Amino acid sequence: MGVDLVLLGPPGSGKGTQAARLSAALSIPHIATGDIFRALVEAGTPLGQRVKAFLERGELVPDDLVIDVIRHRLGQADATHGFVLDGFPRTVPQAEALDRLLVELGRPLDAVVYLQADRQSLIERLGQRAEVEGRSDDRPDVILHRIDVFLEQTAPLIDYYRRNSKLRLVDGTRLPDAVAASIREVIDSLPRDAV
Ligand code: ADP
């Protein structure tokens, strides 16, 4: 059996890196809404055009659209035995929708790992990524806006998941191997029937 995980954290906290490692180590799909949206933009469809405008400004894609995408993705065969969600949920309505969906599927989340990182480390990392990957939302002004959007709309999820005792905090400012080791400890500490 796999695990149902959410990786939560500000832009630049290392969610993508850690989710990819978890996906390989646990043989569960890495579901990154950012990647799904970038693929939609690439495809150039009318939906992609609509999504593009949000991405370029560093704004969140509307909840109903994001939730549809996730509902569809979690229904695919490879997600039957676990998943790691990266970049979803990002708002309280998204978290509530995920809870409802998982109740329908009869599989509650096993853990929500929050990767903590201070503002300065995030700005530095995203600035470096801008040079390597050339993502159009890694421009300095958009980076600052994405961090603000996180603080306003996504940070409330920390309390949301603290209330249902799913939340585990991990220091995301360390090197990827050290962060991965801490996440592994979290997973190993989950009740046996979860893993
Ligand atoms: P980062 O974590 O560095 O911001 P992502 O690839 O996770 O990178 O997200 C990139 C962009 O995709 C976000 O700024 C937002 O526009 C959009 N996006 C991704 N996930 C969501 C989501 N769950 N809800 C709304 N918008 C999202």
Side-chain angles (χ1 to χ4, degrees), residues 11-12 15 33-34 37-38 54-55 59-61 66 87-88 90 94 129 135 137 146:
K15 299 185 298 293
T33 40
F37 292 138
R38 279 185 288 277
F54 293 101
L55 260 65
E59 297 288 344
L60 295 186
V61 172
V66 185
F88 178 91
R90 245 174 162 97
Q94 289 181 17
R129 185 169 79 187
R135 244 172 74 168
D137 60 347
R146 280 161 53 214

Side-chain angles (χ1 to χ4, degrees), residues 121-161:
S121 334
L122 300 174
I123 294 171
E124 281 167 22
R125 283 185 185 175
L126 292 169
Q128 283 161 8
R129 185 169 79 187
E131 287 169 25
V132 182
E133 294 182 19
R135 244 172 74 168
S136 65
D137 60 347
D138 281 343
R139 294 199 336 254
D141 52 329
V142 183
I143 287 174
L144 295 179
H145 185 57
R146 280 161 53 214
I147 295 173
D148 288 342
V149 167
F150 170 83
L151 292 174
E152 268 169 40
Q153 305 200 51
T154 309
L157 293 182
I158 299 169
D159 273 341
Y160 181 91
Y161 286 118

Side-chain angles (χ1 to χ4, degrees), residues 7-192:
L7 278 191
L8 196 62
S13 59
K15 299 185 298 293
T17 304
Q18 297 299 329
R21 286 179 176 226
L22 284 166
S23 167
L26 302 172
S27 304
I28 53 177
H30 170 194
I31 301 177
T33 40
D35 290 347
I36 295 173
F37 292 138
R38 279 185 288 277
L40 281 173
V41 171
E42 256 329 276
T45 58
L47 180 61
Q49 292 287 328
R50 197 177 146 216
V51 164
K52 185 174 185 209
F54 293 101
L55 260 65
E56 282 184 342
R57 292 198 306 267
E59 297 288 344
L60 295 186
V61 172
D63 286 338
D64 52 351
L65 174 51
V66 185
I67 292 162
D68 276 354
V69 161
I70 284 292
R71 176 182 291 277
H72 176 255
R73 185 62 187 85
L74 290 184
Q76 288 179 312
D78 65 340
T80 322
H81 298 296
F83 53 74
V84 51
L85 289 175
D86 159 13
F88 178 91
R90 245 174 162 97
T91 64
V92 171
Q94 289 181 17
E96 290 169 346
L98 177 63
D99 279 348
R100 283 195 298 272
L101 180 58
L102 293 177
V103 166
E104 275 171 38
L105 298 172
R107 51 187 289 191
L109 282 177
D110 295 306
V112 176
V113 175
Y114 180 62
L115 295 180
Q116 294 176 294
D118 58 281
R119 195 180 174 87
Q120 197 50 41
S121 334
L122 300 174
I123 294 171
E124 281 167 22
R125 283 185 185 175
L126 292 169
Q128 283 161 8
R129 185 169 79 187
E131 287 169 25
V132 182
E133 294 182 19
R135 244 172 74 168
S136 65
D137 60 347
D138 281 343
R139 294 199 336 254
D141 52 329
V142 183
I143 287 174
L144 295 179
H145 185 57
R146 280 161 53 214
I147 295 173
D148 288 342
V149 167
F150 170 83
L151 292 174
E152 268 169 40
Q153 305 200 51
T154 309
L157 293 182
I158 299 169
D159 273 341
Y160 181 91
Y161 286 118
R162 194 174 270 140
R163 265 184 267 127
N164 68 12
S165 318
K166 301 279 187 207
L167 192 73
R168 301 286 184 278
L169 303 182
V170 167
D171 175 4
T173 59
R174 296 166 299 154
L175 291 172
D177 282 348
V179 177
S182 297
I183 297 177
R184 192 70 215 192
E185 279 172 27
V186 166
I187 290 166
D188 290 342
S189 76
L190 294 174
R192 269 206 157 283

